[in-house]
Each structure stands twice: as structure tokens, then as C-alpha cells.
Amino acid sequence: MAWNEPGGGQKDPWSGKGGGEQGPPDLDEVVRKLQERLGGLFGGSQPPGGGRPGGGAHLSTKVIGVIVAVLVVIWLATGIYIVEPAERGVVMRFGRYVDTTVPGPHWHIPAPIESVVKVNVDEISTLTHRAAMLTQDENIVEVELTVQSRIQDAADYLFQDQDPERTLNDATITVVRVVIGQSKLDFVMTEGRGAVAVTIKERIQDLMDRYKTGLIVTSVNMQPAKPPEQVKAAFDDAIKAREDKERLENQAEAYSNEVLPNARGNAARILADAKAYRDRVIASAEGEAARFTAVLAEYGKAPEVTRQRLYLETMEEVLGKNGKVVVDVTEGANSLMYLPIDQLMKQSQTQTPPEPPAQSVLNGLPALPERVDPPLRAVDRERRVR
């Protein structure tokens, strides 16, 4: 049965008593007691006559000031931030770029006035591009390359370009098609692959700087270009022919390097021999001329004697080289004289040879000047005597 129903005894649940005279508790009284307790907590004194509205307002202002100060300190502390070594901090004030901070502890005006965005500038991003394109000599080639980049300027990366990665992709496609289109197939597939990669990197970086993307291209790795599958067999034959050509050229160069030094050496030797022969012939001719001049002077003094001596010397030289001599004793006679000179020479080795008859004849003749060169041939002497 409810307290206010007939027969309920009129019990008031708010007062806890059975009488119906009491109402709900006074809210002003509850607030006053709470202010007194807070005042005692922060060192305030209760005014005489109990807590009054004026004293409670004083304590409330002081407490609010302390609370506000604590909140301000906490708010300022939220502006402390640390930038890692691989990062850069981009400070914005009301959404506008202010500064870029380096690694280390920093402070900024807390939100909502300023905010900080940390950007990793050491992270390497990789972009792979693969496509078939037309070369300068109107051949189709499949090219695959990998472009690696990282953030160089954090502010430009965040504010200058809406999508730097997409810009890098578009720039890579454009540059690759232009560079391959300006190159011949053999150059792209053989020794020009490194040069093509360097050119692509430089041109992509130029576009990144022009659009202020804040990205730097660290490397461009180009895989070996290959022809389409439909014509791969023909390209393989062409490559094999090119390799055979290079091999034959290398062999020819090696043969040339081997033959030319030998030929140069033989030529130098022949020239040296010719020079020596020339010097020897000139010296011999000069000696013959000097001897002939000396003989001519003696011949002018005694022509008959000189002529006879030359004749005897010539006969001595000619007959000394023959082993057998046949002499016609009398003109018109049928008898001949045979002299076995070889047998006589053998006997002269065991016995003391007598003085040759010609030597006795020569002893009475005047001596000729010494020879300055080997003796003249008999035919030359006869011609000169005549």
C-alpha cells in the first residue's frame, strides 16, 4: 500500500518519519556543505555564523583559477614532440606551413593553433614499370625497369603536389617512351642499356624538380631488353650472328697483333743487313780504288816489270787452285806436259819443298804496295793490265 493512499499511515519516504509534514532535502544546503568542505581542503576558513553565500563564492573563484592553471599547463605540455632520426617534422599553424624541424625534441603551440606532421624521409619507395614500345628504327622491344625514390623535401611532398607517387609513375612512363623512341634496338639491347638507364634517371628527376614533388630518384635499374615472343627466334639468330662477328673481329685483331710485330722486326733486320752490305761494298770499292791508284803509280814508274809481276801473281793464284795442269810445250807439237800438282803437294808435306821457280823470278822484281783489301780476281787483273 502506498504511503499516500488511505490507510497507508501517511509515512513520508523523504523524511524517514511517519509524519506527513516533511518535504525533499534543500539543494542550497547541499551546495553550501560542499563549498565548506572544498574551502577546508584548500586552506580556506569558514566565516563566522556558518557558511554564507559570499564566502562560498570566494572559495569557488580560487578553486576555478587553480583548475584553469593546471589545465593550461597540461595544454602547453601537449605541444612537446620528438622527431626520429629518419623523420622530419612539418609544423603547420592553422593549416598553413610554418617550418620543418630536424630530428630531436621540439615544442609547438598546441592544437588547435599548430599541428605537426612527421614524414619519413629515409624510406625507399620502389616503382616497377614494364611495357612494349617502339624504337627509333621501328622495332618493338619489351622494357622492364625499377625506379627507386625517397622524400627529399617534406614540405614540398605534403603541399606542392597532390599525389607525388602518381606524378612519379606518370613521369616514368613518359620518359621511358621518349628515351626508347630516340634509341635504336641494337643500342638498347646491348652496350647502351646502362646509358639508357642513366638518361631515364636524369630526365625523371628533372620532371620531379619541375613539379616540386619533393622526391629524389635514387636509382633506375633497367633489366635486359627483349623482343616480343612472336619474333624472339629471329632476334636470337641476329644476336648469335653479332656474337660471331665480335668473336671473329677479336681473332683477327689477335692475329694482327701477332703478325705485325714480327713483320716489323723482319723489316728492321732486312734494313740493317742492307745497310751493313752497303757499308761493306762501299768500303771494298774504296779499298779497290785505293789499291788500283797505288798500282797505277807503280805501273807508271816501271810498266813492263809491273805488268809481268801482275801476270805472275795472277797465274800463281789461278794455278794454285788446280790439282792438275796440262802444258803445251811447243806450239804445233802433239806432245803435252802433265803436272800432277796434287801429288806434288802431298809430297811437299813430308819433304821440305824447294823454292818455287816463280818465286825466284819475283825476287828480282820491285815490290808492289801493300794491298788494302783482298786480292783482285784474275779476270779483273788481266783487264786492268790490258
Side-chain angles (χ1 to χ4, degrees), residues 124-142:
I124 301 296
S125 299
T126 302
L127 171 65
T128 301
H129 176 68
R130 179 186 304 169
M133 54 198 69
L134 195 66
T135 60
Q136 184 182 12
D137 49 359
E138 298 182 357
N139 288 310
I140 298 178
V141 63
E142 293 183 357

Side-chain angles (χ1 to χ4, degrees), residues 238-254:
I239 293 174
K240 184 177 179 181
R242 186 184 301 109
E243 293 176 351
D244 293 340
K245 174 187 174 184
E246 294 177 356
R247 178 176 55 82
L248 293 176
E249 288 178 350
N250 294 333
Q251 292 178 356
E253 185 176 359

